[in-house]
Amino acid sequence: MVYLDFEKPLADIEAKAEELRAMARKGEGAVDVEKEAAALDAKAQQMLGELYASLTPWRKTLVARHADRPHCSDYVQALFTEFTPLAGDRAFGDDHAVMAGLARFNEMPCMVIGHEKGNDTKSRIHHNFGMARPEGYRKAIRLMDMAHRFGLPVITLVDTPGAYPGKGAEERGQSEAIARCTMKCLEIGVPLVSVIIGEGGSGGAVAFATANRIAMLEHSIYSVISPEGCASILWKDAEKMRDAAEALRLTAQDLKKLDVIDRIIPEPIGGAQRDPAAAIAAVGVEIGAMLAELSGMKPADLIRDRREKFRAMGAHALAA
Amino acid sequence: MNWITNYVRPRINSLFSRREVPENLWTKCPECGTMLFHRELSDNLNVCTNCDHHLAITPRARFAALFDGGAFVEVKVPEPIADPLHFRDQKKYPDRMKAAQKSTGEKEAMLVAEGEMGRTPVIAVGQDFSFMGGSMGMYVGNAIIAAAERAVQTGKPLVLFSAAGGARMQEGILSLMQMPRTTVAVKMLKEAGIPYIVVLTHPTTGGVTASYAMLGDIQIAEPNALICFAGPRVIEQTIREKLPEGFQRAEYLLEHGMLDRVTHRKALRDELISILRMLTGQPAPTRADLPAPEPATTEA
């Protein structure tokens, strides 16, 4: 388990409990070691619950980026069958930051598209840390179009720090690719549901999340800019990321109040990284529920629903 | 041509510090350093008379030069909720807004106008970089939707002049949501068969480029305009290498297939009239379509 900085007190208690048990195994220590260890466990569990019940926006940002959090490929593997990856934009290359393909969700054929961050140095580099280049958006456009033609619902899993700020990505029309991908989302006459499973970073996230229904995991974030980026622009000091995270209202809870998202998916106590299987299962239930809400809708109605949803956004403010 | 042209051109930037020059009368060209007298500069559509550098121009000044006889009607934009997130950085968002309104004399960062250009009816949208960097928030989204609705309703083509640093961070996620919102507006135009021309001006970056500013039927840019999603500084920090000369400038984008044309500001009006008339099936413009030229200022 990788502990975040703010989880340090928790880590200490858990280490202590482990130490006691190790002593007991070696036959040292007092008689009632297990009782004491269990007390520590209970204390740790309580602390974990309290910590995660009141995460600040910055702490949520850290949790959303946690390396042990389940990633797109974990969800695809657990929730879908017959996943058949489809590659390439037919123009330049294949973008490994975006995984996409045909699959079945509860037996129903569909198109699944998501950002994959990778989970060790090698795979993170392979997936470019989940930062798509123009080819990723163009692959998504191609596959959304295919889904539209064959009447397949589209499920997107968003987990990206943002679009890749690279020379080639800019030369090959990053902004145009994002704009077209957002537009494609608004054009397809099939259900489009989106789950923000970790980081919903700016334009790179919007390009996949212009959906009929949008859900966010409890401790995921969705923002116009990273707290660090915002802090360095508005505070002229990247170290003010805590203030920026606060001001940006990037938590699922605030976004739900603003009606930018439809659902919050509860995470296991201590975050998705502590019980990935439970988090993945919860996401599966919500995807099913969102698709059920849209089932039976005609293509034109699905398109209208999406456009009206986004046109209406910003109709109300947060309470002071 | 006016009196100053025959006067000794004041290349005094090396002799005097900027502070000694009254701000409202002289502007220093950021490219070549020439001091430009305000009348001369505005007569030249804010293009440097020495090096042709395109300086920023407000939508109001641009429209005055663009529409026949400088006449246009403003299209009303629905007011969004002010400060929806109660955003506060080093200043409160409402205070930043008030300061921007005071310094620009404008309500917000976008102006929507309806009028005729070479007797060609058109809806024009101008983004004002001087108003909080032209940043895209709810108002800008509302302006684009209002413009698109008006264009669809009247069947008039839409020309949009973009200029923005990107999304307005003070509106947080709601500024990000203007990307899909404005894309809905572009979609309305496309479905109604209304021509949508984008003129990208310096600078157009961030979420603005990644939505309505890159979705025109025809994409024109002003010379040397910076057009990008991620800015050069961010990229240099990421890849840790020097970027090529002219990277992300209009000409570079043209060369990489991202634009149709790069057009000098002074040639833009005629070009837009010509394109719009072709796209809307009207006969070629004639002299009669153009208003009588302003009486020439006589000078020695």
Side-chain angles (χ1 to χ4, degrees):
Chain A
M1 181 84 235
V2 177
Y3 290 95
L4 296 166
D5 270 355
F6 69 86
E7 295 173 335
K8 182 120 195 336
L10 182 79
D12 292 344
I13 296 173
E14 291 189 349
K16 198 128 189 229
E18 181 49 39
E19 206 177 291
L20 283 174
R21 291 205 170 96
M23 273 163 64
R25 278 196 295 275
K26 279 193 239 157
E28 304 163 11
V31 235
D32 234 353
V33 163
E34 184 46 44
K35 199 175 160 192
E36 224 173 292
L40 284 172
D41 282 351
K43 195 174 164 197
Q45 196 57 25
Q46 193 199 341
M47 184 182 274
L48 187 66
E50 282 166 6
L51 267 178
Y52 273 76
S54 56
L55 288 178
T56 61
W58 173 245
R59 286 181 176 181
K60 277 191 191 277
T61 306
L62 298 174
V63 174
R65 294 172 181 168
H66 199 292
D68 296 340
R69 226 176 142 76
H71 289 156
C72 184
S73 54
D74 302 312
Y75 288 94
V76 170
Q77 203 180 3
L79 297 175
F80 296 82
T81 53
E82 287 181 67
F83 176 59
T84 309
L86 301 173
D89 68 345
R90 302 295 183 272
F92 183 82
D94 185 41
D95 188 337
H96 304 301
V98 175
M99 63 182 291
L102 288 165
R104 284 181 189 270
F105 179 81
N106 294 340
E107 306 296 314
M108 179 178 55
C110 66
M111 190 69 79
V112 57
I113 302 171
H115 302 96
E116 174 55 42
K117 283 183 167 176
N119 40 33
D120 53 35
T121 308
K122 204 176 154 208
S123 65
R124 279 189 198 114
I125 291 168
H126 178 71
H127 294 294
N128 200 30
F129 302 86
M131 291 184 281
R133 297 180 169 96
E135 296 71 45
Y137 306 106
R138 292 186 179 127
K139 171 164 70 178
I141 291 170
R142 184 173 75 81
L143 297 181
M144 282 192 216
D145 208 50
M146 190 195 298
H148 169 75
R149 282 183 288 120
F150 296 105
L152 307 174
V154 178
I155 297 155
T156 62
L157 300 170
V158 174
D159 190 13
T160 178
Y164 181 60
K167 178 170 168 278
E170 287 286 318
E171 280 173 346
R172 298 192 300 275
Q174 174 128 277
S175 24
E176 193 262 2
I178 292 173
R180 294 252 172 241
C181 196
T182 310
M183 187 174 255
K184 184 52 72 186
C185 286
L186 291 164
E187 285 172 352
I188 54 175
V190 289
L192 172 52
V193 302
S194 187
V195 183
I196 292 154
I197 54 175
E199 272 184 288
S202 187
V206 165
F208 288 3
T210 303
N212 293 98
R213 297 289 184 274
I214 306 154
M216 272 176 87
L217 271 174
E218 188 183 351
H219 304 310
S220 61
I221 59 163
Y222 190 10
S223 180
V224 64
I225 186 168
S226 70
E228 295 92 330
C230 180
S232 77
I233 296 172
L234 290 183
W235 278 263
K236 318 270 177 233
D237 178 3
E239 291 299 307
K240 296 280 186 204
M241 65 266 184
R242 286 171 190 79
D243 297 322
E246 198 86 39
L248 281 167
R249 312 283 189 155
L250 42 65
T251 67
Q253 293 68 31
D254 275 338
L255 300 189
K256 177 77 177 66
K257 284 181 204 147
L258 284 164
D259 267 346
V260 168
I261 62 161
D262 303 292
R263 288 161 183 263
I264 300 175
I265 308 173
E267 292 189 25
I269 290 170
Q273 72 275 16
R274 284 198 165 72
D275 190 351
I280 292 169
V283 167
V285 169
E286 294 295 323
I287 291 175
M290 291 192 288
L291 286 174
E293 281 178 16
L294 301 169
S295 79
M297 277 174 80
K298 291 194 184 81
D301 294 335
L302 287 163
I303 293 169
R304 193 177 319 113
D305 171 83
R306 225 172 287 136
R307 292 191 194 170
E308 281 170 7
K309 177 188 183 73
F310 283 90
R311 267 197 69 163
M313 261 180 206
H316 35 146
L318 287 177
Chain B
M1 294 282 150
N2 54 32
W3 65 270
I4 196 88
T5 329
N6 301 325
Y7 202 70
V8 184
R9 201 178 288 276
R11 300 190 75 156
I12 50 171
N13 52 304
S14 53
L15 300 174
F16 298 98
S17 74
R18 195 179 165 72
R19 183 162 44 84
E20 288 168 58
V21 185
E23 253 185 21
N24 49 350
L25 290 183
W26 296 92
T27 304
K28 184 176 168 180
C29 172
E31 205 59 31
C32 70
T34 305
M35 296 304 291
L36 301 157
F37 189 59
H38 71 113
R39 284 282 301 277
E40 189 184 21
L41 189 59
S42 61
D43 285 353
N44 208 38
L45 300 176
N46 284 15
V47 176
C48 175
T49 51
N50 181 52
C51 73
D52 255 356
H53 176 69
H54 287 49
L55 283 83
I57 183 168
T58 65
R60 221 168 270 284
R62 186 189 284 278
F63 291 172
L66 213 52
F67 286 108
D68 297 346
F72 60 89
V73 178
E74 272 185 53
V75 173
K76 204 172 151 38
V77 175
E79 287 282 340
I81 295 170
D83 193 16
L85 308 184
H86 315 290
F87 194 97
R88 175 173 202 153
D89 50 86
Q90 288 171 308
K91 277 187 198 164
K92 284 185 188 157
Y93 179 34
D95 293 342
R96 281 192 192 269
M97 278 293 280
K98 271 182 220 137
Q101 284 166 344
K102 203 174 158 201
S103 73
T104 59
E106 294 290 346
K107 193 162 66 179
E108 250 282 5
M110 198 163 256
L111 186 64
V112 184
E114 184 171 359
E116 291 195 339
M117 237 165 63
R119 304 268 164 90
T120 315
V122 64
I123 310 288
V125 182
Q127 201 157 7
D128 193 345
F129 191 75
S130 61
F131 193 105
M132 290 184 79
S135 53
M136 169 177 68
M138 283 294 294
Y139 187 92
V140 165
N142 285 0
I144 293 172
I145 290 174
E149 278 178 340
R150 185 70 191 152
V152 170
Q153 188 187 11
T154 58
K156 294 177 185 174
L158 196 149
V159 180
L160 183 140
F161 299 87
S162 68
R168 185 168 296 169
M169 279 174 285
Q170 291 86 350
E171 293 185 21
I173 192 77
L174 294 178
S175 68
L176 189 67
M177 290 303 118
Q178 302 317 306
M179 290 174 63
R181 271 187 103 220
T182 56
T183 307
V184 171
V186 176
K187 202 64 210 151
M188 283 159 54
L189 295 171
K190 303 225 163 179
E191 280 168 7
I194 304 282
Y196 172 47
I197 298 180
V198 179
V199 180
L200 299 130
T201 77
H202 179 77
T204 300
T205 69
V208 169
T209 331
S211 55
Y212 60 88
M214 269 293 164
L215 292 171
D217 295 306
I218 293 181
Q219 296 282 130
I220 303 173
E222 289 191 339
N224 202 37
L226 176 74
I227 302 159
C228 60
F229 183 67
R233 233 179 328 142
V234 178
I235 297 174
E236 278 186 340
Q237 280 164 12
T238 313
I239 64 172
R240 299 189 189 285
E241 59 179 276
K242 232 29 225 135
L243 293 165
E245 175 81 18
F247 182 66
Q248 297 181 322
R249 296 289 170 165
E251 295 73 11
Y252 198 91
L253 266 81
L254 183 71
E255 212 41 56
H256 282 81
M258 292 299 143
L259 299 173
D260 291 292
R261 303 182 55 76
V262 175
T263 304
H264 194 286
R265 193 177 285 162
K266 291 177 86 175
L268 204 49
R269 182 172 186 274
D270 285 355
E271 184 166 309
L272 286 171
I273 293 169
S274 166
I275 290 172
L276 288 175
R277 292 182 74 95
M278 284 194 269
L279 290 179
T280 54
Q282 294 173 76
T286 61
R287 275 254 157 261
D289 288 324
L290 302 171
E294 305 251 335
T297 35
T298 45
E299 60 210 80

